[in-house]
Amino acid sequence: MGVDDGRQANGDWRMRCGFSVPIISSFVPAHSSVPIRLSPDNLVSSVKARSSVPLRESCHASFAIAGRWGVGGSSGAVIRVRHVTRVLPYHRPLPLTRLPLLYHREHLFPYASYGETEATAVERAFRFVVLENEALRVEVAPELGGRVYSLFDKRLGQEILFRNPVVKPVRILPIWAFLSGGIEFNFPIAHSPTSIAEVGCATGVSGDYGWIRVGEREARTGMEWVVELGLFEDRPLLIQRTALRNQSGADHPWMMWTIAAVRSTVETEFVHPPHRVLVHDHRVVEADWPGDGLNWDRNCREMTALFWKPGSAPHFGAFHHDLGFGLMHLADPAVLPGKKVWTYGHGPQRDWGRATTEGDQSYAELESGPLFDQNEKPVFPHGHERRFEEYWVPVASRDAFEAPELPSLSLPTWPEPWLGWAHSAWQTEWERFRVGDGPLPSSTVVTGIELETALRREAGRGNPAAAEPLALWLAFRGRAREALAVVESRSEPTAQRLAGLICWRALEEPARAVSHLEAGPLDDPIAVAELDEVYAQLGWTERRVKLLERAPDHRRIVERRADLALALNRPEETLRLLRSRPWPREHQRYVRTRLWQAAQVALAAKDLPVAEVPEALHEDSLAEFGAYWSDVPAVR
């Protein structure tokens, strides 16, 4: 591939692969940082649609640092960092709507939400950063949320993670564009809203320790996260250091979970000493671990989450007895008590895992975090910061789990690891506007930045386009009446919709909302569905009939028509509509399930036959549990 192999030559090291770089006179830099900024898109200029696209790689830069025993010695230990481009099959997610989804509990304003994913892949180039020592090779994708895309053990010749051969977003909260595979970092909600977006990235070497940092200032709240992924030259483990802070000026609810995807086979065993667990499948119950085979993936016949209760061990993981290797996670349970396993199981719901990738593959997840389970979403106070360390250890024996010890490592200090917002074109244009260096952006307002002064200044200059972003910014921050005053008298359909949402959702005045929503952009099915929900709340059935008769075709409209049929006491029509189209798989959204169940109750009242909820509705059967929705107030 034309990549520098990292071997030392005459005490010097060079960057190669087409770059003209001077020889560095110092053999081991005390600290070397190579920040990289990546475009938000990086679509291949000439995309070629195809169903299966092979991975291709080209090299950008590499550097190698020989270890302390490599100078004049024989160990050859080395830390290497290089930047490459990989071309992967990419299934593009399509936005659900062009409208800002304020006050929607299953969407995370101001981020876009996605309604579907193209079935046919295109070639897309992604920037990767590769960090390796003699034992491990770690590949990080800054344009995919900073996830570890690959953890390869050179000793075993094995990929330790589930490495997805395609980039295929699927419908999982909070933005309905979740990617399976690798190790992803989720703050301040699971799953991260930037898991398919670019985050900041920097690389460096300190002595015999090399690292890649990924992170961002999050656009919704303004809180920040950084994850450092590090290798020592002579240690076969991946070090993860995480820093979180809130300098936004307000308190915010939060969670932080690191999620590592591993292969799921009939011989995959989940490993942890005997303990109590919370089982989340179609129930939420406590059980003894390992109990009656809870530790074997094959015994899960439905999608299942397992959370270890307080007092858990420092380690847990997964071992594939058929493949001969596994992954162990190590952390101080006093600092990182959260441990979770997720699997789609080995029953019919395994198809949900297969749908995230290509071929007859599925995966399981090892998840860790500073909270006990994902039903917790406490407040992260303004001015506070949290830091912690954890370790990912490839293992070649099941016995490795029996007596693990936390590593004793001397890590370099990282007093200011933050990567900020400069990587984000979206946040950058709003920052420039904030300080008066750029025009009012046309993108959705970034709520995690202090923008009130700049927006009022722009409105005072007579720019009518400032009204909606100002109202959105104020409404998000709980200042609903001020927001309504900005847009209530404006004539633009989008402004009228926003006024209606404020009246309905924030002020709880649905009748007052009607005239505004009726003047909204009713060419958009989301706006139609919002208005129909208000009509339904008010009991205005005749208006619902007229509205939905002329509504654009969309699955959200079909759901609303199915609901209307129930209101008209036509449960057979509800079932017909629910059977009338293919539905995307959507995790932890139960609209169609509830409609079906309500129709069955109405049929039973008429002494007509009833039927179980069909798989074809493509809503999961998990019990409602967790704090994954956005209806917890963002600012308190």
Side-chain angles (χ1 to χ4, degrees), residues 225-246:
W225 66 271
V226 170
V227 167
E228 179 178 282
L229 301 155
L231 293 177
F232 279 101
E233 61 187 17
D234 56 349
R235 296 288 188 117
L237 59 84
L238 176 61
I239 300 154
Q240 177 183 331
R241 293 203 286 185
T242 301
L244 315 173
R245 74 173 177 181
N246 179 6

Side-chain angles (χ1 to χ4, degrees), residues 599-631:
Q600 297 303 317
V601 171
L603 287 172
K606 295 182 178 184
D607 293 325
L608 295 173
V610 299
E612 294 295 321
V613 177
E615 166 61 25
L617 294 188
H618 280 170
E619 291 181 332
D620 67 52
S621 60
L622 290 169
E624 290 193 53
F625 173 83
Y628 311 115
W629 295 272
S630 65
D631 54 351

Side-chain angles (χ1 to χ4, degrees), residues 150-203:
S150 170
L151 174 58
F152 187 83
D153 192 317
K154 301 177 186 180
R155 304 162 302 171
L156 301 174
Q158 291 283 357
E159 174 59 53
I160 300 300
L161 302 174
F162 169 65
R163 175 175 180 156
N164 201 329
V166 298
V167 179
K168 189 178 183 183
V170 296
R171 309 284 77 77
I172 296 180
L173 292 163
I175 65 166
W176 305 98
F178 165 76
L179 298 178
S180 67
I183 304 177
E184 71 166 2
F185 313 108
N186 301 280
F187 178 79
I189 193 168
H191 295 275
S192 170
T194 52
S195 64
I196 64 166
E198 182 184 4
V199 298
C201 182
T203 64

